[in-house]
Amino acid sequence: YLASSKILICIFSLKCSGGLELLCDSVKIHSINVDLPAEEKKLTMKHLLAWVRSNLIKERPEMFMKGDTVRPGVLVLVNDCDWELSGQLDTTLEDKDVIVFISTLHGG
Amino acid sequence: YLASSKILICIFSLKCSGGLELLCDSVKIHSINVDLPAEEKKLTMKHLLAWVRSNLIKERPEMFMKGDTVRPGVLVLVNDCDWELSGQLDTTLEDKDVIVFISTLHGG
Amino acid sequence: SSEFGHDLTPDMIYRYSRQLLLPSFGVQGQSNLLKSSILVIGAGGLGSPALLYLAACGVGRLGMVDHDVVELNNLHRQIIHGEAYIGRSKVESAAAACRSINSTIEIMEHREALRTSNALEIVSKYDIVVDATDNAPSRYMISDCCVLLGKPLVSGAALGLEGQLAVYNYNGGPCYRCLFPTPPPTTACQRCSDSGVLGVVPGVIGCLQALEAIKVASLVGEPLSGRMLLFDALSARIRIVKIRGRSSQCEACGENATLTREEFQHFDYEKFTQSPLSAAPLKLKLL
Amino acid sequence: SSEFGHDLTPDMIYRYSRQLLLPSFGVQGQSNLLKSSILVIGAGGLGSPALLYLAACGVGRLGMVDHDVVELNNLHRQIIHGEAYIGRSKVESAAAACRSINSTIEIMEHREALRTSNALEIVSKYDIVVDATDNAPSRYMISDCCVLLGKPLVSGAALGLEGQLAVYNYNGGPCYRCLFPTPPPTTACQRCSDSGVLGVVPGVIGCLQALEAIKVASLVGEPLSGRMLLFDALSARIRIVKIRGRSSQCEACGENATLTREEFQHFDYEKFTQSPLSAAPLKLKLL
Ligand SMILES: [Zn+2]
Ligand SMILES: [Zn+2]
C-alpha cells in the first residue's frame, strides 16, 4: 500500500480568518504529500484533517477545526463534491484527489 | 490497441450557427464512442474531426469545418488547453479526454 | 392579443425584442418573467446590479427591502446609488433608479429592516427571494422564512476578493440550514464593512443572482440548485461544485422539522449566530 | 500627505475605505488605480456595467467612445441608460451616470465611432482598453491598434446566453489575431441586434471586464491573459481554459509583423471581415 499520498489542497475564503498561513497566500492549488499512518491501508479525510492540523496550522486551530472535524461554516469538497456525499470523515482519498475547504461568506 | 475510444465533446457558442444539431441542445458534455481506423494505433484530433464530420454533421459543414480542420473562428480545446499547445490535428487522444469546440463571439 | 399566443403589447415587444429573439427564452420566457414577482433583500453591493438587471429585463413586480441610508463609502460598489442620494434611503434611491430604467414594471419599496416580525408578511407577497444582505443572522432568518413560505432563495455573498452563489429551497433542493446547520464562530465571520471588498466583486455576484432569479422566474435553464459557485477575483478562478441535497435532519426543512411561523416570529437570530443584524462602525486608521 | 506614503485625500480615504481595508489591494492598489486611465469602447450591453464599476472604484481618467444613440430596445440590458435619454447620445448618457456616481474622477466623452482614422489618436491617451463592441471588424481594429500602441486589451463578448472574456496583448501574451488570424465566415457571425441576448449575460461579462481592467491598472492579482473564460448562462457553467501564447507568425504582433501605423490607418476592416461596423436593422416578426 501507499506510504504517502500526493493530495491537492485548495483553500477558499479561509485566508483572512487566520490559522492557515502556510496555505493562505492564494487560492491556487497546493500540492502536499501526506504520510499514511503505518497501520492503515487507506488515506481517509480523518487522517488528512489530523495531518493538516499538526503540519499546517500554526495558530488558532479553532478557525479551521472543531474536535476532529472542520468547524461549523466550513464546507469540504472532494473532487468538487460535498464530502457529505462521499462519507465525510470516512471518505477515502487517492493520489491526485483535490480537496477544497471553503468558509461560508456573509458579506454583501 | 484500442478499437474505440470514449471521448467527451463539449460545444460552446456554436449552437445557433447550425450544422451541429445533434450536439446542439445544450453545452452539457456529450459522451461519444469513436471507432479507430483499423490501420492506426492512436486516435488523433485529425481522426476525431473526420469522424465528427461524417457522423455528427447533418448539414452546412462549412459552419464547423474548412478542409480537414475547423473553420476560422473556432477554437479547439483538449482537456481545457488550446490544441495549438498539443499539436493541433496531430494531438493524440485518450479515453475520457474532453474536447471543447468554441466559436468566437462578437456580440455585446 | 391572444390570437398571437401571448399577452405582450407592441411597446413590450419593442423593449424586450432582443430577449424575444432568443429561441431558448422567447415569448414564453418573457411572459413568465412579466407575470413574476421578485423580492431583493438588501439594496447594497449585491442588490445594486441585481435590482438594475431585474428591473431592466422585465420582472413584473420588483420589491426591495432595506432600512439603510446611502453613505459616501458605499458608492465604490453600490452603483445603483448616486452622490445626490447620500443621506437618503437606499430603497428610495434604488427605486428611483429602477423606475428611470423601466417605468412599465411595478416597483415596491419596503423602507424598513427585515425582521422576524415583518419577514413573513413581506416575503409572502413575492414568488422568488434574492438574499443580498451582508450578515449571518439575516441569512438564517431569510432561509427559514423562505422554507416556511415555500419560496426559492437566490443567495449571494461577497467579501474581499471572493464571492459565493447558490439557489436554496428550490425544487426539492437543500436550504441554507441543510448546508450550515450550526452558525460559524463569530470570530470567523466578517462583513464588507469590517473587512473591505473590491467593488466589482459583489457586482459579478449580484449579476449572477439576477440571472439565477430570471431563470427561476422564466422557467428557462438549469438554476444553480444543489450546486455552489465559488469566485476568486484575484486569480480569475471560478469553481462550480456539487453540494449535498436536502437533509432529512434539517431543523428547517427536514422530515422532522418543527419550525413553525409562530416559532419563527420569536426566534432570536442575533443570539443564534452571536452576531448583530446591523453593521458595526468602521475602524480605518490610515491618517 | 507624503508622510503617510500615499497621495489620498481624506475624502478619497472615506469614499474608497472598503477597498483600502483589503490587505491585497490597499492604499497601493487604490493609488495605482487613481493614477490610471482606461478607455471603454462601446457604451452598450458590456460597456454599461464596465463603465459604472470603473467610475465607482476610482479609475483616475475614464474614457468612453460610441456614436450610437439610446433606443428603447437597448434598455433591457444597457442599464447605464434611462428612458429619459432615449434618442440622445449613449456617451452623453453614460458620462452623466458615471459623474452622478463619482464626481471626483475625470470623464472623457468621445461621441463618435471608433475608426482607423481616429483610433490611434484616441487610444493613445489611455493606459488600458476595454473592448465592449459588438462586431468582428471593430474587434480586429481595436486589437491591432492596441498592439501598435502597446496597450493591454480587456476583451469581452456576449450573445444569446453565452459570454467570453480574455485579456490580450498583456505582458507578452497573445493578441486577438494570434488566436484568430483569419476572420470567420460572415454566415457564422452574429450580433445581439440580430440574434438576441438575455440582458444580464453582457452584465456578467461587463463586470468581469471591469474587474480585469482594475487588476491590470492596480497591479493586483493575475489578469486573464493566456486564458479565456467561457460562460454559459443557461446551465450556469463557467470554464476557464488555457489558450496559446503570442504567435511568432502573427501578422500584428509576431516576429516578422509588418503592421505599421500608416498601414493601419488605411486598412479596410469591414472588407477584411466581410462584415459592417454598424448594425443592420432588426427583423422581428411577432405581430
Ligand atoms: Zn434544510
Ligand atoms: Zn498577435
Side-chain angles (χ1 to χ4, degrees):
Chain A
Y1 59 84
L2 288 171
S4 137
S5 279
K6 185 176 289 295
I7 299 294
L8 305 168
I9 288 195
C10 177
I11 311 277
F12 259 92
S13 314
L14 269 167
K15 289 173 294 192
C16 312
S17 319
L20 280 167
E21 283 72 14
L22 254 184
L23 297 172
C24 291
D25 49 329
S26 111
V27 294
K28 276 186 198 167
I29 291 173
H30 300 260
S31 180
I32 57 168
N33 282 294
V34 181
D35 295 322
L36 203 62
E39 70 278 13
E40 302 286 343
K41 291 214 173 57
K42 285 173 180 168
L43 182 68
T44 65
M45 276 304 300
K46 189 171 179 167
H47 299 136
L48 180 70
L49 283 182
W51 187 90
V52 167
R53 181 170 203 152
S54 30
N55 291 276
L56 297 181
I57 299 182
K58 299 296 165 197
E59 53 184 35
R60 297 174 74 201
E62 74 279 9
M63 297 304 298
F64 181 57
M65 294 188 70
K66 187 175 176 183
D68 64 351
T69 189
V70 292
R71 72 155 167 82
V74 172
L75 288 183
V76 182
L77 303 160
V78 179
N79 299 325
D80 282 347
C81 255
D82 193 340
W83 75 339
E84 285 281 331
L85 302 167
S86 57
Q88 290 183 299
L89 288 169
D90 297 328
T91 309
T92 57
L93 301 179
E94 293 176 14
D95 252 22
K96 295 183 190 165
D97 275 353
V98 180
I99 315 301
V100 178
F101 298 104
I102 327 159
S103 174
T104 176
L105 298 178
H106 301 116
Chain B
Y1 59 84
L2 287 171
S4 135
S5 278
K6 186 177 287 297
I7 300 293
L8 305 168
I9 288 194
C10 176
I11 311 277
F12 259 93
S13 314
L14 268 167
K15 288 173 294 189
C16 312
S17 320
L20 279 167
E21 284 71 14
L22 255 183
L23 298 171
C24 290
D25 48 328
S26 113
V27 293
K28 276 185 198 169
I29 290 173
H30 300 261
S31 179
I32 58 169
N33 282 295
V34 181
D35 295 323
L36 201 62
E39 70 279 13
E40 302 287 343
K41 291 211 172 59
K42 285 174 178 168
L43 182 68
T44 66
M45 276 304 300
K46 189 170 179 168
H47 299 136
L48 181 71
L49 283 182
W51 187 91
V52 167
R53 180 170 203 152
S54 33
N55 291 275
L56 297 180
I57 299 183
K58 298 298 166 195
E59 53 184 35
R60 298 174 73 201
E62 75 279 9
M63 297 304 299
F64 180 58
M65 293 188 72
K66 187 174 176 184
D68 65 351
T69 188
V70 293
R71 70 155 168 83
V74 172
L75 288 183
V76 182
L77 303 160
V78 179
N79 300 326
D80 282 347
C81 255
D82 193 340
W83 75 339
E84 285 281 330
L85 302 167
S86 57
Q88 288 183 300
L89 288 169
D90 297 329
T91 309
T92 57
L93 302 178
E94 293 176 15
D95 253 23
K96 294 182 189 165
D97 275 353
V98 180
I99 316 301
V100 178
F101 298 104
I102 327 160
S103 174
T104 175
L105 299 177
H106 302 116
Chain C
S1 60
S2 60
E3 62 176 303
F4 300 107
H6 63 79
D7 305 320
L8 303 179
T9 64
D11 265 10
M12 286 173 176
I13 290 176
Y14 185 53
R15 179 188 281 270
Y16 304 119
S17 54
R18 267 62 179 175
Q19 292 175 176
L20 300 173
L21 275 167
L22 267 176
S24 46
F25 194 80
V27 173
Q28 192 56 59
Q30 190 67 52
S31 295
N32 292 342
L33 210 50
L34 286 163
K35 283 177 198 134
S36 72
S37 56
I38 300 181
L39 176 68
V40 177
I41 306 175
L46 298 165
S48 287
L51 283 165
L52 289 171
Y53 280 101
L54 291 173
C57 76
V59 167
R61 190 154 44 84
L62 181 60
M64 47 196 87
V65 202
D66 204 313
H67 73 289
D68 233 349
V69 297
V70 179
E71 291 178 71
L72 176 59
N73 63 7
N74 299 149
L75 299 190
H76 82 107
R77 69 184 189 282
Q78 303 184 12
I79 55 150
I80 204 168
H81 309 302
E83 293 173 0
Y85 277 90
I86 289 173
R88 287 161 72 185
S89 150
K90 282 190 183 177
V91 163
E92 181 192 356
S93 165
C98 290
R99 284 191 190 102
S100 77
I101 284 179
N102 195 344
S103 62
T104 68
I105 63 164
E106 195 181 343
I107 287 166
M108 313 279 284
E109 301 182 37
H110 305 278
R111 300 188 197 179
E112 54 193 313
L114 196 76
R115 302 182 183 285
T116 51
S117 54
N118 62 8
L120 289 165
E121 194 204 329
I122 293 174
V123 171
S124 65
K125 293 173 182 154
Y126 299 88
D127 302 327
I128 298 163
V129 175
V130 174
D131 183 346
T133 63
D134 69 350
N135 61 81
S138 294
R139 293 184 183 277
Y140 281 96
M141 177 178 72
I142 291 166
S143 177
D144 287 353
C145 182
C146 287
V147 168
L148 282 169
L149 298 171
K151 309 287 183 186
L153 171 61
V154 181
S155 184
L159 189 77
L161 291 146
E162 292 181 274
Q164 296 173 353
L165 173 75
V167 176
Y168 295 113
N169 199 42
Y170 177 70
N171 222 354
C175 81
Y176 187 74
R177 267 191 204 257
C178 291
L179 239 71
F180 304 110
T182 312
T186 51
T187 45
C189 289
Q190 294 171 314
R191 56 175 105 197
C192 302
S193 49
D194 308 330
S195 321
V197 62
L198 187 67
V200 72
V201 175
V204 172
I205 299 294
C207 283
L208 290 168
Q209 284 184 282
L211 170 63
E212 292 304 312
I214 290 167
K215 284 157 68 179
V216 171
S218 63
L219 303 171
V220 165
E222 293 170 63
L224 202 73
S225 168
R227 295 184 288 160
M228 184 183 278
L229 182 145
L230 309 172
F231 173 52
D232 180 70
L234 207 57
S235 61
R237 275 163 220 267
I238 297 175
R239 279 185 113 92
I240 294 164
V241 301
K242 186 168 162 48
I243 55 175
R244 68 199 72 174
R246 181 158 287 193
S247 160
S248 59
Q249 269 86 55
C250 176
E251 289 182 24
C253 76
E255 284 160 17
N256 305 308
T258 54
L259 182 70
T260 65
R261 295 182 187 207
E262 184 64 23
E263 275 179 1
F264 171 82
Q265 287 175 297
H266 296 99
F267 194 87
D268 188 338
Y269 287 91
E270 293 189 314
K271 195 175 159 201
F272 175 61
T273 58
Q274 294 182 284
S275 174
L277 279 157
S278 56
L282 176 72
K283 295 161 208 102
L284 182 67
K285 297 198 179 73
L286 282 169
L287 281 175
Chain D
S1 59
S2 60
E3 61 175 306
F4 301 107
H6 63 77
D7 305 321
L8 303 178
T9 65
D11 265 11
M12 286 174 176
I13 290 176
Y14 185 54
R15 179 188 281 270
Y16 304 119
S17 53
R18 266 64 181 174
Q19 293 176 175
L20 300 174
L21 274 167
L22 267 175
S24 46
F25 194 79
V27 172
Q28 192 56 56
Q30 189 68 51
S31 295
N32 293 342
L33 210 51
L34 286 163
K35 282 176 199 136
S36 72
S37 56
I38 301 181
L39 176 68
V40 176
I41 306 175
L46 298 165
S48 287
L51 284 165
L52 289 171
Y53 280 101
L54 291 173
C57 75
V59 168
R61 190 153 46 83
L62 182 60
M64 47 195 88
V65 202
D66 204 313
H67 72 290
D68 233 348
V69 297
V70 178
E71 291 179 70
L72 177 59
N73 62 9
N74 300 149
L75 298 190
H76 81 106
R77 70 183 188 281
Q78 302 185 12
I79 54 150
I80 204 168
H81 309 303
E83 292 173 0
Y85 277 90
I86 289 174
R88 289 160 73 184
S89 150
K90 282 190 183 175
V91 163
E92 180 192 356
S93 165
C98 290
R99 285 192 190 101
S100 76
I101 284 179
N102 194 344
S103 62
T104 68
I105 63 165
E106 194 182 344
I107 288 167
M108 312 279 284
E109 303 181 36
H110 305 277
R111 300 187 198 180
E112 55 192 312
L114 196 77
R115 301 180 186 286
T116 50
S117 54
N118 62 9
L120 289 166
E121 194 205 329
I122 293 174
V123 171
S124 65
K125 293 174 182 153
Y126 299 88
D127 302 327
I128 298 163
V129 175
V130 173
D131 183 346
T133 62
D134 68 350
N135 60 82
S138 293
R139 291 185 184 277
Y140 280 96
M141 177 178 73
I142 292 165
S143 178
D144 288 353
C145 183
C146 287
V147 168
L148 281 170
L149 298 171
K151 309 287 183 184
L153 171 60
V154 180
S155 183
L159 190 76
L161 291 146
E162 293 180 273
Q164 296 173 354
L165 173 76
V167 176
Y168 295 113
N169 199 43
Y170 178 71
N171 222 352
C175 82
Y176 186 74
R177 265 190 205 257
C178 291
L179 238 72
F180 305 110
T182 311
T186 51
T187 46
C189 289
Q190 294 171 316
R191 57 175 105 197
C192 302
S193 49
D194 309 329
S195 322
V197 61
L198 187 67
V200 71
V201 175
V204 172
I205 299 294
C207 283
L208 290 169
Q209 284 184 280
L211 170 63
E212 292 304 312
I214 290 167
K215 284 156 67 178
V216 172
S218 62
L219 303 172
V220 165
E222 293 169 62
L224 202 73
S225 169
R227 296 184 288 160
M228 184 182 279
L229 181 144
L230 309 171
F231 173 52
D232 180 70
L234 208 57
S235 61
R237 275 163 220 268
I238 297 175
R239 279 184 114 91
I240 293 164
V241 300
K242 186 168 161 50
I243 56 176
R244 69 199 72 174
R246 180 159 287 195
S247 160
S248 57
Q249 270 86 55
C250 177
E251 289 184 24
C253 76
E255 284 160 17
N256 304 308
T258 55
L259 182 70
T260 65
R261 295 183 187 205
E262 184 64 24
E263 276 179 0
F264 172 81
Q265 286 175 298
H266 296 98
F267 194 87
D268 188 338
Y269 287 92
E270 293 190 312
K271 195 175 158 200
F272 175 62
T273 58
Q274 295 183 282
S275 174
L277 279 156
S278 56
L282 177 71
K283 296 161 207 104
L284 182 69
K285 297 197 180 72
L286 282 168
L287 280 174

